[in-house]
Amino acid sequence: MVEEQHLDAIFQALSDPSRRRMLAALSAGEASVSSLAAPLDMSLAGASKHVQVLERAGLVSRRKVGRQQILALEAKRLREARDWLERYARFWADALDALETALEEETKR
Amino acid sequence: MVEEQHLDAIFQALSDPSRRRMLAALSAGEASVSSLAAPLDMSLAGASKHVQVLERAGLVSRRKVGRQQILALEAKRLREARDWLERYARFWADALDALETALEEETKR
DNA sequence: CTGTTCTTCAACCATAAGGTTGAGTATCGC
DNA sequence: GCGATACTCAACCTTATGGTTGAAGAACAG
């Protein structure tokens, strides 16, 4: 069951390109805050705040290793968002299929 | 191809519960601004602004019928967002499958 | 112990977002 | 034409967001 209140935070987190780049980077494996920040043309503190947004949305988990914070993708929440979208995206596809079929029927006659 | 700049607007639009309710309502068929606003406990002007956000994100299209603005779901953009998520959601599922397989192998030995 | 590295925190700033009210524009019903 | 209906626009308010800098905490390297 997709939690309605989770979706607020998830989609809001996904709405920023810097955060999406971080997630993209994390899909290639775990990474520290600074390695995620490196390609982002912003201060480390700024990047750190983005990581916190992702974490609050449940999209990443962190683990302390020495003085580094190692981030990892949390697919569960990513899937909640995808499932929500899937419902509408699929519904519409079905509706269009139905329309197409109806048009074909029409053409036959 | 998913347009990176579209995603900003799409996910931002999806991050508000009122707007998601509107999309949910629209999945049952077209609707006017006021019928979308009715269940939302906010002024009509407020709802109208939400509709504009959805429209700018390309998630709905509108058509004027008399004095009404009839909104309809635009599945294309919805699918862009879903596809983006799908990539990461699926990736991680695969990674977990691989991990599971590895653990099974381990157990056998 | 000292200095450097990795990261967060606090304070601040500018702008965007979500909401309101009040007025204005079309359109319909009569 | 006249009043009600369906919006949108503009102005405004409050809070959130995305960014900065400067300082501070924790852990490693020598």
Side-chain angles (χ1 to χ4, degrees):
Chain A
M1 183 62 175
V2 179
E3 298 289 339
E4 191 59 22
Q5 59 188 138
H6 285 174
L7 291 173
D8 285 23
I10 297 170
F11 284 128
Q12 197 273 331
L14 292 174
S15 72
D16 184 273
S18 300
R19 287 193 290 262
R20 287 199 305 277
R21 286 186 67 182
M22 286 179 163
L23 293 177
L26 285 173
S27 76
E30 302 183 328
S32 68
V33 175
S34 24
S35 69
L36 287 176
L40 285 188
D41 191 34
M42 78 173 58
S43 69
L44 187 59
S48 173
K49 282 169 84 170
H50 280 304
V51 169
Q52 287 173 54
V53 172
L54 290 172
E55 197 186 10
R56 267 182 251 121
L59 292 171
V60 303
S61 60
R62 68 206 306 161
R63 163 170 66 91
K64 202 181 170 181
V65 174
R67 59 194 149 168
Q68 290 190 123
Q69 299 282 334
I70 303 298
L71 287 312
L73 257 194
E74 276 296 323
K76 204 193 302 173
R77 288 292 168 80
L78 229 31
R79 270 188 234 114
E80 280 190 31
R82 181 204 51 181
D83 291 348
W84 190 91
L85 282 167
E86 184 64 23
R87 208 180 325 160
Y88 301 105
R90 182 186 293 156
F91 173 90
W92 220 237
D94 289 352
L96 290 178
D97 285 351
L99 188 68
E100 223 168 282
T101 309
L103 284 173
E104 266 176 58
E105 292 295 310
E106 202 105 354
T107 313
K108 273 183 198 164
R109 275 181 248 135
Chain B
M1 183 60 175
V2 179
E3 298 291 339
E4 191 59 21
Q5 58 188 139
H6 286 173
L7 291 173
D8 285 23
I10 296 171
F11 285 129
Q12 198 272 332
L14 292 174
S15 73
D16 183 90
S18 302
R19 287 192 291 262
R20 287 199 306 277
R21 287 185 67 181
M22 286 178 162
L23 293 176
L26 286 173
S27 76
E30 301 184 329
S32 68
V33 175
S34 22
S35 69
L36 287 176
L40 285 187
D41 191 34
M42 78 172 56
S43 69
L44 186 60
S48 173
K49 280 169 86 169
H50 280 305
V51 169
Q52 286 172 53
V53 172
L54 290 171
E55 197 186 9
R56 267 182 250 119
L59 293 171
V60 303
S61 60
R62 71 207 302 165
R63 161 170 68 89
K64 201 179 170 181
V65 174
R67 59 194 150 168
Q68 291 191 121
Q69 298 283 333
I70 302 297
L71 288 309
L73 257 195
E74 276 296 324
K76 205 193 300 172
R77 288 290 168 81
L78 230 28
R79 271 189 231 114
E80 280 190 31
R82 182 204 51 182
D83 291 348
W84 190 91
L85 281 167
E86 185 65 22
R87 210 181 321 159
Y88 300 105
R90 182 184 293 155
F91 173 89
W92 219 236
D94 290 352
L96 289 178
D97 285 351
L99 188 66
E100 224 168 279
T101 310
L103 283 174
E104 267 176 57
E105 291 294 311
E106 202 106 354
T107 313
K108 275 183 197 163
R109 276 181 246 135

